[in-house]
Amino acid sequence: MRKDYSTVKGFGEREIVISKSRFIAYVERAETEQEAIDFIDKIKKMHPSATHNCSCYLIGEHDNIQKANDDGEPSGTAGVPMLEVLKKQGLKDTVVVVTRYFGGIKLGGGGLIRAYGRATTEGLDAAKVVERKLHHLMQVSIDYTWLGKVENEVRNSHYTLKEIQYADAVEVFVYVLKDEEEAFAEWMTELTNGQAQIACVDKQFIEFIL
């Protein structure tokens, strides 16, 4: 499973106007190339009369899939600057489309690069960048006599309580950052005088808005 990484929380849209040209940025999370392609096609269908629908995407743990498309703008003035914004922010699994409606004033190569870069940054701000951190879901089985103490201690710790299930014994489920599971188990053992049964039952990413 991949390590911690940053991506976008979800869909985002933001419009800016530069020298009478409208630049509308659309951002979405895409975990496969097909998802990225489908999103780009969807935006293009929304704006069939737009002057340009420039796009880029960056997918995979090691950025092994990345594409940039200028869609008729001068080579290197749209898709690549957009992609560079994603790289500079260290984002993964992200697709961006910037739709342009030409306003009659030419921006020149440098102006286009700045415009598409700014539109992408604005779109990412709308979509919200999140950090996804890998957590281990720890199951702590305890007698009911330990519930109050364990629940209180967990809630006041930096660990994240997921849920508590009540059966013959109490099952407390806690999210623990990777590499901290051993320290967590030792802590639980100490809290319960060795009366807790502790196991890792799953691994999940939890998102934190940056």
Side-chain angles (χ1 to χ4, degrees):
M1 184 174 285
R2 66 167 68 183
K3 300 177 182 178
D4 302 347
Y5 66 101
S6 296
T7 185
V8 290
K9 182 174 180 62
F11 178 77
E13 176 184 345
R14 185 73 57 80
E15 178 176 338
I16 60 175
V17 177
I18 300 175
S19 297
K20 298 185 178 180
S21 281
R22 294 172 59 207
F23 294 85
I24 312 168
Y26 298 93
V27 179
E28 182 62 279
R29 184 185 297 181
E31 297 183 351
T32 67
E33 187 168 24
Q34 190 58 53
E35 287 180 1
I37 291 170
D38 290 345
F39 180 73
I40 293 168
D41 289 342
K42 173 185 173 183
I43 301 303
K44 285 184 174 180
K45 289 177 182 177
M46 287 171 55
H47 296 279
S49 61
T51 316
H52 307 280
N53 283 292
C54 304
S55 60
C56 72
Y57 51 84
L58 196 59
I59 297 170
E61 182 177 359
H62 304 291
D63 302 337
N64 48 305
I65 302 175
Q66 49 184 288
K67 294 286 177 63
N69 190 322
D70 295 315
D71 194 38
E73 291 281 30
S75 180
T77 62
V80 170
M82 291 163 58
L83 186 62
E84 284 302 311
V85 172
L86 302 188
K87 290 181 177 180
K88 285 179 181 178
Q89 294 201 25
L91 300 181
K92 311 288 186 184
D93 298 346
T94 303
V95 55
V96 181
V97 180
V98 175
T99 298
R100 182 190 184 190
Y101 285 92
F102 182 53
I105 301 174
K106 293 185 177 181
L107 301 179
L112 288 172
I113 290 171
R114 289 189 294 273
Y116 280 100
R118 178 184 161 194
T120 301
T121 300
E122 293 281 350
L124 292 173
D125 182 62
K128 303 298 181 187
V129 172
V130 296
E131 185 174 11
R132 305 194 80 214
K133 291 187 175 183
L134 183 61
H135 284 67
H136 291 243
L137 181 59
M138 306 297 290
Q139 177 180 342
V140 182
S141 301
I142 51 174
D143 184 81
Y144 277 83
T145 56
W146 293 104
L147 176 58
K149 181 179 182 180
V150 168
E151 181 179 1
N152 183 65
E153 291 290 337
V154 170
R155 289 189 184 279
N156 286 294
S157 72
H158 70 282
Y159 301 115
T160 302
L161 178 64
K162 179 177 184 280
E163 64 177 336
I164 299 174
Q165 295 180 1
Y166 303 92
D168 293 337
V170 183
E171 309 292 346
V172 181
F173 293 88
V174 183
Y175 286 117
V176 177
L177 277 169
K178 71 178 192 317
D179 300 327
E180 291 189 13
E181 57 270 25
E182 186 175 332
F184 174 81
E186 291 176 356
W187 181 54
M188 278 293 113
T189 299
E190 183 178 340
L191 274 179
T192 62
N193 294 330
Q195 300 302 303
Q197 294 184 343
I198 307 157
C200 176
V201 295
D202 196 10
K203 295 179 182 179
Q204 298 177 16
F205 279 99
I206 297 180
E207 298 181 358
F208 302 86
I209 295 179
L210 297 179

